[in-house]
Amino acid sequence: MKVLVPVKRVVDYNVKVRVRADGTGVETANVKMSMNPFDEIAVEEAVRQKEGGAISEIVAVSCGPSTCQETLRTALALGADRAILVDTAVELQPLAVAKLLRAVVEREQPQLVILGKQAIDDDCNQTGQMLAALLGWSQATFASRLVIEGNHARVTREIDGGLETLSIRLPAVITTDLRLNEPRYVTLPNIMKAKKKPLDAITPDVLGVDVTPRLKTLRVDEPPRRKAGARVADVAALADKLKNEAKVVQ
C-alpha cells in the first residue's frame, strides 16, 4: 500500500510570531522555519504503519516555494521514501492546496492520504476535508489512533464527548491529532541518507491547477494587550468593578 503524506513549512512553534511593520502579514525573514507539528505526526504515523507492514511506500509532498525542500528532506529523514515539491511562489489557500493534492493523488495513485488536521500558521483546518470531498474518498478527522486492516482503516477520533471509533473503507483521507503519536528525533545518519533519496519538483501548471488566491488579506494586526489584573478589597468592590468598569453585570 502506498501512502501520501502532505507536509507544510511553517514558522517554528517555538518562535514568537511578529507582524510585519506594514501589516501585510507575519514576519518570516530570518525566522526559523520547520515542519508543521501536526504533519510531523502524520509522517511518524506513516513510518510506524510501514514498520508494522501495513504500508509499503511513503511519499511526502509539499506545496510552496523551493525552500520547502528543506521540510521535505526532514520528512525523508524521518522515514519517507521519496518526496514531491509542487513549486510555486503564489500564496496558497486551503482550496488551492486541496486541488494540488488531488492532482498529485491522481498521478501517484496512493490508497491512503495522512496529513495534519491543521497548520499552526493559519489554523484553517480545511485542507484534509476539502481533499476528501474533491476525491470522493472516505475521511476520518482528528485521529488519535489508526489501525489498518486490509482495505479498511479503524480510526479512533476525539470528539467533544470523548472518543469515537470509525471503520472507513480505503482509499481514504485521515487527518492527525496531537495524541496519535510522538514523532521520533531525526538522527544524523538518517539526515545524510535523506540527501540521496529522490525529490522531484513540478509546478501547478504541469498539474493543470489554477492556484490564484480567492481571498485577499486586507491587514494583519497583533491582538491588543491585556490589561493588568487588580486586587479588590471585598465582594462589594468586585461587584462595583464588574458593573461600572467591565459592564458585564447589570
Side-chain angles (χ1 to χ4, degrees), residues 4-189:
L4 190 76
V5 185
V7 296
K8 185 177 183 181
R9 185 172 185 264
V10 299
V11 175
D12 189 87
Y13 66 92
N14 289 312
V15 174
K16 179 177 173 56
V17 176
R18 294 179 292 109
V19 176
R20 293 178 188 150
D22 58 4
T24 58
V26 173
E27 185 61 66
T28 56
N30 301 317
V31 172
K32 181 183 178 183
M33 308 292 284
S34 62
M35 185 187 301
N36 178 47
F38 291 103
D39 295 337
E40 193 173 1
I41 292 171
V43 175
E44 173 66 23
E45 186 61 28
V47 173
R48 293 189 184 191
Q49 294 292 337
K50 182 181 179 182
E51 291 172 344
I55 289 172
S56 58
E57 184 182 18
I58 302 171
V59 182
V61 58
S62 188
C63 305
S66 58
T67 49
C68 292
Q69 292 185 39
E70 180 183 348
T71 305
L72 288 171
R73 290 297 179 192
T74 301
L76 292 171
L78 285 169
D81 297 295
R82 56 189 179 91
I84 299 172
L85 171 64
V86 182
D87 194 350
T88 176
V90 177
E91 180 185 354
L92 296 175
Q93 295 172 352
L95 182 58
V97 176
K99 289 181 177 179
L100 289 172
L101 293 178
R102 177 185 61 177
V104 174
V105 167
E106 291 172 349
R107 286 167 63 103
E108 292 292 328
Q109 295 296 308
Q111 288 74 50
L112 183 64
V113 177
I114 306 178
L115 69 161
K117 69 173 185 177
Q118 64 194 76
I120 62 172
D121 53 0
D122 55 22
D123 278 333
C124 284
N125 183 19
Q126 295 175 337
T127 303
Q129 294 89 327
M130 288 179 172
L131 175 61
L134 291 171
L135 291 170
W137 285 10
S138 307
Q139 65 172 302
T141 56
F142 316 135
S144 60
R145 186 167 184 267
L146 170 62
V147 178
I148 298 176
E149 303 169 323
N151 64 341
H152 285 76
R154 189 167 72 250
V155 180
T156 301
R157 59 190 301 270
E158 299 188 1
I159 59 176
D160 291 339
L163 299 175
E164 177 184 60
T165 301
L166 303 175
S167 178
I168 58 176
R169 184 184 298 274
L170 301 181
V173 176
I174 296 175
T175 69
T176 61
D177 210 339
L178 282 174
R179 278 159 287 279
L180 180 59
N181 61 55
E182 183 176 347
R184 66 195 68 190
Y185 289 104
V186 180
T187 63
L188 181 59

Side-chain angles (χ1 to χ4, degrees), residues 221-241:
D221 294 301
E222 291 193 19
R225 292 179 176 270
R226 295 181 61 180
K227 294 182 179 179
R231 290 179 177 273
V232 294
D234 50 37
V235 175
L238 174 61
D240 178 69
K241 285 184 175 293

Side-chain angles (χ1 to χ4, degrees), residues 174-236:
I174 296 175
T175 69
T176 61
D177 210 339
L178 282 174
R179 278 159 287 279
L180 180 59
N181 61 55
E182 183 176 347
R184 66 195 68 190
Y185 289 104
V186 180
T187 63
L188 181 59
N190 286 335
I191 292 174
M192 302 306 294
K193 291 178 183 178
K195 294 180 180 180
K196 299 180 180 180
K197 292 183 178 180
L199 194 161
D200 299 323
I202 54 178
T203 63
D205 292 338
V206 171
L207 296 175
V209 177
D210 179 12
V211 295
T212 303
R214 294 168 175 257
L215 303 175
K216 181 181 179 181
T217 301
L218 300 180
R219 184 172 177 83
V220 177
D221 294 301
E222 291 193 19
R225 292 179 176 270
R226 295 181 61 180
K227 294 182 179 179
R231 290 179 177 273
V232 294
D234 50 37
V235 175

